[in-house]
Amino acid sequence: MSSSSSTGRTPHRRVRQRIPGAYRLVRTPPVPVDPPELDAAQHGVVDHGTGPLLVLAGPGTGKTTTLVESVARRVARGTDPERILVLTFSRKAAVELRDRMAVRLGGRRGPQATTFHSFCYALIRAHQEADLFTEPLRLLSGPEQDVAVRDLLAGQLVLEREGRGRVRWPDELRACLTTRGFADEVRAVLARSRELGLGPDSLAAFARRTGRPDWSAAASFLAEYLDVLDMQGVLDYAELVHRAVLLAGRREVAERLVAQYDAVFVDEYQDTDPAQVRLLGALAGQGRTLVAFGDPDQSIYAFRGADVNGILDFPYAFPRADGRPAPVAVLGTSRRSGAKLLDATRLLTRRMPLTRLPAAKVQAHREPVPVRKGGQVETYTFPTPSTELDNIADILRRAHLEDGIPWNDMAVLVRAGGRTIPSIRRALTSAGVPLEVDGDDVPLRHEPAVSPLLTALRAVAEAALRPQSEPEEEVPGDDAPDQAEPDHGLPEPDATEHDMPGDDAPLEVASEPLASDQPASEQPASEQDAQGVAPPGAVGWLDVETALALLSSPLGGMDAADLRR
């Protein structure tokens, strides 16, 4: 018997002494939240029992509130939160839903609220074969996928010259292989193909039926692209959903998914693509409980693969257990927009028919009852984009100075953020209008603090990769005319002096006379570098536009007056 067991004593628990004036974390119980007041249409959705249901909900009609209350009602009836799945399209929306459900449930454990891609990744990881994949699959980001596609396209020309190319692009497209626009088009074709469930063989068969050699080349490129992804152990987002759909189609996996969830809720259903609709069919098809919230008039992500036909075909794609089409509910009370604004939107939606949904439901959806009056809609047209920006700045300034509207109560919406926001930012800043741009709307490479740094790195990298020209054999003698050095009134650099070129000439680096009598071309390279002599081929490595951009950026710190001098 050990000494510790023979004593029979338990060690005394050390009591931490409280330090006077120190802070102490106290867990406070969740504050009960009163349920919100719902209208009759919202009560009808919340009280929905089993089976599929499509909820048409415009902006400001209480869609998210109704979804949260539907989940809370099922939990109150005794449904295990783990058997409820809530799917949405962005991480921000998923976090918001989780927070709102946690508050509504009084701090109790809530159901799983996640994005489609996160759910697909978890599904694939749960059934991933450990022998084939020792490391977890990694998702390619958008920029990483863009680089991968561009590298593969650029390598096609090299493989063709070596006689090892498998992809035969048409002659009229070969000159486009190294362009960014063509790479974006190819990337979109790859994504749409996988969203439609098409593989290389199906795409090649389609190319043969239609007699399109470009589609045949795209099919071969898709096969090569997928091989490269498998070899690297990575997936893009379209391939992630496609493989999750294939996995959910297996009988044993489908049975497990059906038994795992009693109800599935989908937010922003109008943004689904065909692959996600097939995934929902495996999760909650055949008359099971699937409640989808959406607005076909807000389907604006077609460039990302979203298909409005998903919400239009919902009643027939997800019928009830007895075969009848799924019912359609409408949230018809607008709590956000004024009456005049709703009248203006009604004039626009009349030109967008929705023929596959019940006519009475579409009419109720597009004619919501406003809670408050007011609102104003004005339309302006301008001859040039610059005139438009100047008038936008003028309208904002007048609203703030004359009407007293705070700056944070104004917003400027644009259609294409990457192309439009930089010009709007410059125009409003010049007009003295303070602004804040959402970080999601501006790519990182376009941020004012990042763009000049990338420009400088790109200039140095391109100069380092540029092949150096051969030095000239003839060396000027002592009688060669001395190069006149311009006097800019600035301290002279140690080894080099930059001549200011004209508008069309590139910047050149002129070498200073060496302290030694030996010509620069006859000195060792290391000695040239030590004395600051530009190597052969370095002349003209920086163009005027790049130089001006760097000098006027925060890196250079020069203003327009400095550049003129």
Side-chain angles (χ1 to χ4, degrees):
M1 182 178 294
S2 64
S3 59
S4 61
S5 61
S6 61
T7 57
R9 298 177 182 178
T10 58
H12 293 284
R13 186 176 181 181
R14 179 177 297 179
V15 179
R16 180 176 298 178
Q17 297 181 354
R18 181 175 300 178
I19 302 175
Y23 291 98
R24 185 168 59 94
L25 297 178
V26 179
R27 184 183 297 275
T28 57
V31 179
V33 178
D34 296 331
E37 297 183 2
L38 305 178
D39 56 28
Q42 290 176 305
H43 275 294
V45 175
V46 172
D47 295 336
H48 175 70
T50 59
L53 175 65
L54 175 62
V55 182
L56 298 180
T61 56
K63 169 178 63 68
T64 306
T65 300
T66 307
L67 193 156
V68 173
E69 288 302 309
S70 299
V71 172
R73 179 66 58 86
R74 291 183 181 274
V75 174
R77 291 173 181 170
T79 303
D80 187 355
E82 291 187 355
R83 301 187 61 82
I84 300 176
L85 175 64
V86 181
L87 294 173
T88 186
F89 286 88
S90 66
R91 284 174 292 183
K92 182 178 179 180
V95 172
E96 180 184 358
L97 283 173
R98 285 195 293 267
D99 292 343
R100 293 185 62 168
M101 287 189 295
V103 172
R104 179 63 182 86
L105 296 175
R108 292 176 292 174
R109 179 170 50 88
Q112 178 185 6
T114 184
T115 64
F116 273 93
H117 295 106
S118 179
F119 178 82
C120 293
Y121 184 81
L123 180 63
I124 293 177
R125 288 283 288 123
H127 297 85
Q128 181 175 314
E129 298 182 12
D131 297 337
L132 297 179
F133 301 97
T134 57
E135 296 292 335
L137 290 173
R138 187 175 68 87
L139 280 179
L140 279 180
S141 64
E144 289 176 330
Q145 186 189 10
D146 182 58
V147 171
V149 172
R150 293 180 65 182
D151 288 344
L152 287 177
L153 288 174
Q156 300 296 319
L157 298 176
V158 179
L159 293 176
E160 283 189 8
R161 286 195 297 264
E162 297 176 354
R164 298 186 294 117
R166 294 190 303 170
V167 183
R168 299 292 302 174
W169 293 99
D171 294 336
E172 61 271 15
L173 295 179
R174 291 184 182 180
C176 306
L177 294 182
T178 57
T179 63
R180 175 173 296 179
F182 186 75
D184 293 340
E185 294 294 331
V186 172
R187 178 182 170 187
V189 169
L190 301 182
R192 301 298 89 78
S193 298
R194 300 313 269 172
E195 289 165 1
L196 295 173
L198 300 178
D201 295 337
S202 302
L203 197 58
F206 171 78
R208 287 192 298 269
R209 290 196 305 269
T210 57
R212 294 284 299 270
D214 51 348
W215 286 101
S216 178
S220 301
F221 184 81
L222 174 59
E224 182 175 338
Y225 172 76
L226 295 177
D227 291 341
V228 172
L229 293 190
D230 289 338
M231 182 178 60
Q232 297 177 351
V234 297
L235 291 176
D236 60 28
Y237 283 95
E239 185 66 17
L240 173 70
V241 179
H242 175 73
R243 296 196 181 186
V245 172
L246 296 179
L247 186 61
R250 299 180 184 177
R251 181 176 179 180
E252 63 278 6
V253 178
E255 293 177 352
R256 188 179 306 174
L257 290 176
V258 170
Q260 186 175 357
Y261 299 107
D262 291 337
V264 177
F265 293 83
V266 182
D267 191 18
E268 306 293 352
Y269 190 81
Q270 75 276 356
D271 295 333
T272 54
D273 58 43
Q276 293 164 346
V277 172
R278 293 196 302 272
L279 179 65
L280 290 174
L283 282 172
Q286 300 179 358
R288 294 188 292 273
T289 302
L290 172 63
V291 182
F293 294 79
D295 181 5
D297 295 331
Q298 296 187 57
S299 181
I300 59 175
Y301 292 111
F303 65 96
R304 295 181 181 177
D307 190 357
V308 70
N309 293 305
I311 191 171
L312 298 181
D313 294 335
F314 182 92
Y316 306 97
F318 296 93
R320 308 181 205 188
D322 56 4
R324 292 180 299 162
V328 179
V330 179
L331 303 184
T333 302
S334 177
R335 300 168 178 83
R336 181 183 305 168
S337 303
K340 292 184 178 180
L341 181 59
L342 293 179
D343 292 339
T345 58
R346 207 170 287 126
L347 295 176
L348 296 177
T349 54
R350 288 176 182 174
R351 303 184 179 183
M352 299 185 294
L354 299 177
T355 57
R356 278 169 282 178
L357 293 176
K361 301 295 184 180
V362 172
Q363 182 178 3
H365 167 63
R366 287 182 166 177
E367 296 182 359
V369 178
V371 173
R372 60 186 181 89
K373 299 180 180 180
Q376 184 177 358
V377 178
E378 297 179 358
T379 304
Y380 299 92
T381 58
F382 301 98
T384 62
S386 60
T387 308
E388 178 186 359
L389 295 178
D390 293 340
N391 280 271
I392 291 175
D394 181 70
I395 291 174
L396 296 176
R397 285 176 55 85
R398 289 180 180 275
H400 179 70
L401 298 176
E402 298 178 0
D403 301 334
I405 300 178
W407 293 117
N408 56 3
D409 286 349
M410 307 180 190
V412 179
L413 303 181
V414 299
R415 186 173 184 272
R419 296 190 300 268
T420 311
I421 286 181
S423 58
I424 292 183
R425 172 187 280 171
R426 289 192 297 268
L428 296 184
T429 303
S430 301
V433 177
L435 74 158
E436 179 179 354
V437 181
D438 190 353
D440 296 337
D441 292 333
V442 178
L444 181 61
R445 65 182 184 274
H446 291 161
E447 289 289 345
V450 179
S451 178
L453 180 60
L454 293 180
T455 302
L457 293 176
R458 185 181 301 109
V460 175
E462 291 177 353
L465 296 176
R466 185 180 294 114
Q468 297 182 357
S469 60
E470 295 295 333
E472 297 181 359
E473 296 181 0
E474 296 182 2
V475 180
D478 296 335
D479 56 348
D482 294 335
Q483 183 175 358
E485 295 292 338
D487 185 10
H488 299 295
L490 299 175
E492 294 186 358
D494 295 335
T496 61
E497 184 74 29
H498 296 272
D499 295 335
M500 295 302 292
D503 293 340
D504 298 330
L507 288 177
E508 298 183 357
V509 181
S511 302
E512 284 283 333
L514 299 175
S516 173
D517 294 336
Q518 186 179 8
S521 60
E522 296 180 4
Q523 291 189 354
S526 58
E527 187 175 348
Q528 294 183 33
D529 296 341
Q531 298 189 31
V533 179
V539 177
W541 68 276
L542 189 62
D543 60 89
V544 176
E545 183 179 355
T546 303
L548 294 178
L550 292 176
L551 291 175
S552 59
S553 69
L555 292 178
M558 299 179 66
D559 56 15
D562 295 331
L563 293 178
R564 285 195 297 270
R565 288 197 298 267

